[in-house]
Amino acid sequence: MAYLELKNIYKTYGQGETTAQVLSNINLTIKEGEFVAIVGFTGSGKTTLVNLINGLLEPTKGEVLFKGEPVVGTSHERGVIFQNYSLLPWLTVGQNIYMAVKEAFPKKIKSELHAIVADYVEMVNLTPAINKRPKELSGGMRQRVAVARALAMKPEMIIMDEPLGALDALTRGNLQDEILNILGKDKRTALLITNDVDEGIYMADRIIPLRPGPKATLGPEFKIDIERPRDKTALNDNPNFKKTRNAIIEYLMDIGNERKSDVQEEYVLPDLSPKSFVSQF
Amino acid sequence: MKQSMTLGKVTKFIGLAGFLGTVKNMFTGKLEKEDFKNFLRKVIVPLASIFLFFGLWYLGSKSLYNIEAEHRIYKALVEQGPTEAEKVRTCIASGDISCQPNTLPSPAQVWESYKMLLADHYAISADKQAFKEKTAALNVKRIANGEAPIVYTGRPSFVDQILTSLKTVFAGFLLALFIAVPIGIVIGLSKTLRSSVNWIIQIFKPVSPVVWLLLVFMIVKTLNKDSSGDSSFIISFISVGLCSMWATLVNTAMGVSSVDKDYINVAKVLKLGPVQKVFKVILPSSLPLIFTGLRITLSVAWMVLIAIELLAQSPGLGSFVWEEFQNGAVDSNSKIIVAMFVIGLIGFLLDRIMLTIQKMISFNKNDGI
Ligand SMILES: Nc1ncnc2c1ncn2[C@@H]1O[C@H](COP(=O)(O)OP(=O)(O)OP(=O)(O)O)[C@@H](O)[C@H]1O
Ligand SMILES: [Mg+2]
């Protein structure tokens, strides 16, 4: 049985004249224990898709089924790593994680919770920074805190929205390994959103491109038949890797060219106005 | 070492660090050539502005003094004839207190008044202490018999007035805090409530302190009919609270209603309950704005306090100023100016205290305030 299933999902933002149709006819099935990556251009609706799955948003049309049940609201079974870390700036690293752990395991006593926090902080190599606030951390460190916070709740499925998007290549590689390590320990289901094809190939079992919006749909899937654990340096010489990588990049370039040639296509800018409080009071 | 550290903190607190730092560098010979500009900006210009201020004040008061003196002489001439006028002229020139023109006092006169007020304070404190010692034994007896103890009812000194004012402003500020913050949170949380009470805020926010005072007076007078106590303190602190609470109310509501969407998403993903969500996410993230509001509230409270005390006849700096004005003695004007400086200085210190607290609780240390 499918673990996570998206059936004919449509998502529109706004109403009336300002309607923006972001996702259109999305169908996706993920099996238990599988690692799926979705690659897409910026602004194509990846975060929207993620929020539909984790329950922060509701689809305009269609169904999201998690273990056969429709998704209503968020759940501790689906952990989220947000694209922009979303750490609470007034809490320290330890407190940020503690808050999550406490909610996930309400029956555990304080010392047990602290032990979990310490474990996961250690796992992402942040023990020296456990009492620092997010502002005092580098981007990579913040991202690691976000990873630790999501994983410490021991969700059955982990949803990652460009978790390493803001990092340099070196840090990125290290964190990829850390995430794979932690996930590999108890073989959890994972959905990774990324804009880096190599990252997708290195980490996932399947890669599915999200065609650029508006009205973004999923493209054909690419299976990654490379044995785990994968070796990053050896990967470059792996014929399978080269083949898959070329196929995906070719596909994405084709989409990109299509977009360019579609000159008459109108790009409607979202109707965003600066937050104004003056009118409120 | 420790002393100099605290000194450093204090100067930083009142915003003098740049000035003193440069002066110190000057004396310790650390001043580099490129520091000259800094020196000019941080030492010379502020000093010059102080001299200019006192100079203008001195010249202004002198010319006003002359105008007033000429007017007196002229009046005497018209009403009583040239001999009287000549008498007035010599009297003014002799510096006799009885015929001094009463106008804007000079800096020196104000300084004299300041010293006098201080001396007066020490005299009254000593008096009070003596009274206390004298009545101590008697009061013990009276309390034992269930009677009210005898209290000192003499004239309050200037310092007592300051303390009374501080007490009133503090009570008013706390009242504003306890009304505005909870209401602000509630209306910040609900969009419906926000739009439904918006008109109240819009209408009452600009109402003048005087009107608030009258309103509070109407209500407190009725409620307080049977109690014999003096209600002027109650009236003035409630009015101060009501006038000054709007900034906090609006800022709290704004802070609560504009919490970063990311934090709300975190609360949702962690599945925090409504109470937890308010106390662990919404409130901490709106604290900086709430404190900005409280800082405005405190400075408004201090500003309106003087006017309200003056009108409500409640003891404090406001009534001190008013009494001196009514009194019209030779040194009344300079006492009023002393009070003006004290009011300004205390207002400045209160603002600095709030700013320091605000900086402390601001989690975005880089955010300028
Ligand atoms: N709350 C919203 N209201 C209206 N439009 C929105 C909203 N959120 C997103 N959009 C629009 O939906 C589209 C997709 O946004 P989304 O954030 O899902 O993109 P993304 O693929 O995650 O982009 P990125 O790679 O930059 O993170 C964008 O055009 C965006 O303007
Ligand atoms: Mg996104």
Side-chain angles (χ1 to χ4, degrees):
Chain A
M1 194 188 75
Y3 187 70
L4 178 85
E5 199 171 1
L6 275 69
K7 284 187 183 165
N8 290 317
I9 298 285
Y10 288 80
K11 179 68 193 173
T12 350
Y13 282 116
Q15 287 162 340
E17 278 183 24
T18 56
T19 317
Q21 192 169 9
V22 179
L23 296 177
S24 163
N25 195 24
I26 301 272
N27 287 288
L28 174 68
T29 314
I30 299 179
K31 292 196 289 283
E32 184 156 11
E34 210 182 1
F35 195 132
V36 174
I38 291 180
V39 287
F41 295 99
T42 176
S44 55
K46 302 185 298 291
T47 301
T48 308
L49 183 63
V50 158
N51 285 346
L52 288 171
I53 297 171
N54 64 32
L56 285 171
L57 286 176
E58 279 176 26
T60 315
K61 228 165 83 186
E63 278 193 297
V64 182
L65 298 176
F66 181 69
K67 297 200 281 190
E69 299 282 321
V71 165
V72 183
T74 55
S75 156
H76 286 161
E77 291 175 318
R78 296 185 300 276
V80 188
I81 301 175
F82 291 102
Q83 184 171 5
N84 37 14
Y85 326 130
S86 298
L87 302 174
L88 302 181
W90 53 89
L91 298 181
T92 63
V93 169
Q95 287 165 339
N96 262 294
I97 301 174
Y98 183 85
M99 188 174 169
V101 174
K102 197 175 137 215
E103 291 305 315
F105 310 108
K107 292 204 188 88
K108 289 209 156 109
I109 58 167
K110 237 181 173 173
S111 59
E112 286 177 298
L113 297 177
H114 280 296
I116 297 175
V117 172
D119 267 1
Y120 277 85
V121 171
E122 175 67 45
M123 221 176 268
V124 293
N125 294 322
L126 279 178
T127 307
I130 190 163
N131 289 321
K132 288 199 171 152
R133 277 172 220 283
K135 271 273 133 73
E136 305 167 68
L137 304 181
S138 71
M141 290 161 101
R142 279 183 228 173
Q143 194 63 76
R144 293 217 288 267
V145 181
V147 170
R149 179 176 65 182
L151 294 175
M153 295 174 80
K154 297 212 191 252
E156 287 185 26
M157 178 181 182
I158 181 95
I159 303 163
M160 298 169 270
D161 187 1
E162 300 194 41
L164 313 175
L167 306 181
D168 63 281
L170 267 172
T171 326
R172 222 176 162 150
N174 287 339
L175 263 177
Q176 284 166 358
D177 290 335
E178 276 174 43
I179 292 175
L180 283 178
N181 251 334
I182 301 169
L183 284 181
K185 272 184 192 143
D186 28 33
K187 197 68 186 138
R188 284 181 234 170
T189 316
L191 176 69
L192 170 75
I193 305 288
T194 181
N195 53 24
D196 178 355
V197 175
D198 290 355
E199 178 172 286
I201 299 178
Y202 180 59
M203 295 178 80
D205 301 320
R206 271 196 289 154
I207 294 187
I208 306 169
L210 182 66
R211 297 175 58 92
K215 297 192 187 175
T217 53
L218 290 178
E221 68 169 43
F222 296 84
K223 278 211 152 47
I224 319 289
D225 284 322
I226 302 173
E227 257 175 49
R228 288 173 193 275
R230 294 171 186 163
D231 182 343
K232 207 170 249 150
T233 42
L235 215 53
N236 282 324
D237 305 322
N238 187 322
N240 220 337
F241 168 80
K242 280 190 203 158
K243 212 177 69 205
T244 323
R245 184 170 189 273
N246 288 342
I248 299 174
I249 289 181
E250 214 166 287
Y251 179 79
L252 290 174
M253 292 222 319
D254 279 349
I255 305 178
N257 289 337
E258 253 173 63
R259 272 217 294 191
K260 261 185 231 152
S261 61
D262 269 356
V263 271
Q264 69 272 47
E265 192 177 339
E266 221 182 314
Y267 284 94
V268 185
L269 286 174
D271 183 26
L272 299 174
S273 52
K275 274 192 201 168
S276 160
F277 304 115
V278 183
S279 59
Q280 259 179 41
F281 291 104
Chain B
M1 181 66 204
K2 190 158 177 241
Q3 211 168 18
S4 75
M5 246 172 68
T6 48
L7 188 72
K9 262 186 202 157
V10 169
T11 52
K12 201 170 161 197
F13 172 76
I14 58 173
L16 271 179
F19 176 81
L20 289 184
T22 316
V23 172
K24 193 173 137 207
N25 283 350
M26 188 171 69
F27 283 114
T28 49
K30 266 195 273 177
L31 208 63
E32 301 277 327
K33 232 181 192 161
E34 61 264 37
D35 282 343
F36 181 70
K37 231 182 183 168
N38 237 347
F39 175 72
L40 199 73
R41 192 162 53 85
K42 288 196 172 149
V43 182
I44 300 291
V45 175
L47 279 180
S49 76
I50 292 171
F51 277 119
L52 190 69
F53 174 79
F54 281 103
L56 283 178
W57 177 8
Y58 174 74
L59 290 177
S61 66
K62 201 170 169 189
S63 76
L64 284 172
Y65 178 93
N66 287 340
I67 292 171
E68 185 77 29
E70 285 308 319
H71 180 73
R72 281 199 183 193
I73 295 164
Y74 176 72
K75 212 168 129 199
L77 182 72
V78 171
E79 284 169 10
Q80 290 158 307
T83 40
E84 272 305 314
E86 204 43 51
K87 245 191 216 162
V88 170
R89 185 186 296 278
T90 44
C91 178
I92 290 174
S94 74
D96 190 339
I97 285 176
S98 64
C99 52
Q100 281 308 297
N102 209 352
T103 179
L104 179 70
S106 70
Q109 279 172 307
V110 171
W111 180 245
E112 281 309 311
S113 288
Y114 164 73
K115 284 197 290 194
M116 230 180 67
L117 283 171
L118 214 58
D120 183 49
H121 166 68
Y122 289 131
I124 289 178
S125 314
D127 204 26
K128 226 190 261 180
Q129 190 59 35
F131 179 84
K132 216 166 157 189
E133 275 161 22
K134 219 164 61 190
T135 55
L138 185 62
N139 273 344
V140 170
K141 231 185 272 166
R142 284 183 70 116
I143 290 167
N145 291 344
E147 288 172 285
I150 305 170
V151 289
Y152 183 80
T153 51
R155 184 171 59 87
S157 76
F158 183 61
V159 178
D160 293 335
Q161 306 270 40
I162 295 175
L163 293 178
T164 314
S165 279
L166 280 174
K167 206 174 78 186
T168 316
V169 86
F170 195 63
F173 175 73
L174 283 185
L175 181 77
L177 179 97
F178 285 119
I179 294 178
V181 172
I183 294 182
I185 291 171
V186 172
I187 61 177
L189 287 174
S190 150
K191 212 170 183 172
T192 333
L193 211 56
R194 203 153 60 238
S195 49
S196 63
V197 298
N198 195 20
W199 68 272
I200 302 183
I201 298 175
Q202 298 297 355
I203 289 181
F204 286 120
K205 201 169 60 165
V207 170
S208 136
V210 180
V211 183
W212 279 115
L213 174 75
L214 297 178
L215 181 83
V216 174
F217 183 75
M218 291 174 217
I219 297 168
V220 172
K221 201 185 64 180
T222 313
L223 293 181
N224 219 14
K225 267 247 152 67
D226 30 46
S227 88
S228 56
D230 179 23
S231 52
S232 69
F233 171 72
I234 300 174
I235 292 173
S236 50
F237 97 77
I238 293 180
S239 316
V240 167
L242 289 183
C243 296
S244 62
M245 70 174 198
W246 301 98
T248 302
L249 182 66
V250 169
N251 271 35
T252 307
M254 192 160 95
V256 168
S257 63
S258 64
V259 174
D260 195 328
K261 196 136 200 295
D262 290 346
Y263 305 154
I264 300 288
N265 279 348
V266 170
K268 279 188 187 154
V269 166
L270 300 186
K271 291 197 86 70
L272 298 181
V275 177
Q276 291 251 333
K277 188 171 147 188
V278 170
F279 282 98
K280 295 224 161 139
V281 177
I282 293 177
L283 269 188
S285 95
S286 34
L287 265 191
L289 259 182
I290 295 179
F291 266 84
T292 310
L294 286 175
R295 185 172 157 214
I296 300 171
T297 287
L298 188 59
S299 57
V300 170
W302 183 245
M303 209 151 77
V304 299
L305 173 79
I306 307 302
I308 281 176
E309 276 178 350
L310 192 150
L311 285 166
Q313 301 286 304
S314 93
L317 278 172
S319 53
F320 171 84
V321 170
W322 187 239
E323 273 160 24
E324 286 303 333
F325 180 69
Q326 299 264 313
N327 190 355
V330 183
D331 60 350
S332 281
N333 284 358
S334 36
K335 279 183 184 167
I336 291 173
I337 304 287
V338 172
M340 188 185 96
F341 277 106
V342 167
I343 291 166
L345 214 65
I346 292 177
F348 171 66
L349 285 179
L350 290 178
D351 193 56
R352 279 284 149 174
I353 292 172
M354 288 306 284
L355 183 70
T356 312
I357 298 175
Q358 202 183 348
K359 273 186 183 154
M360 239 153 50
I361 60 118
S362 153
F363 38 83
N364 292 348
K365 288 275 185 311
N366 307 331
D367 281 7
I369 293 168

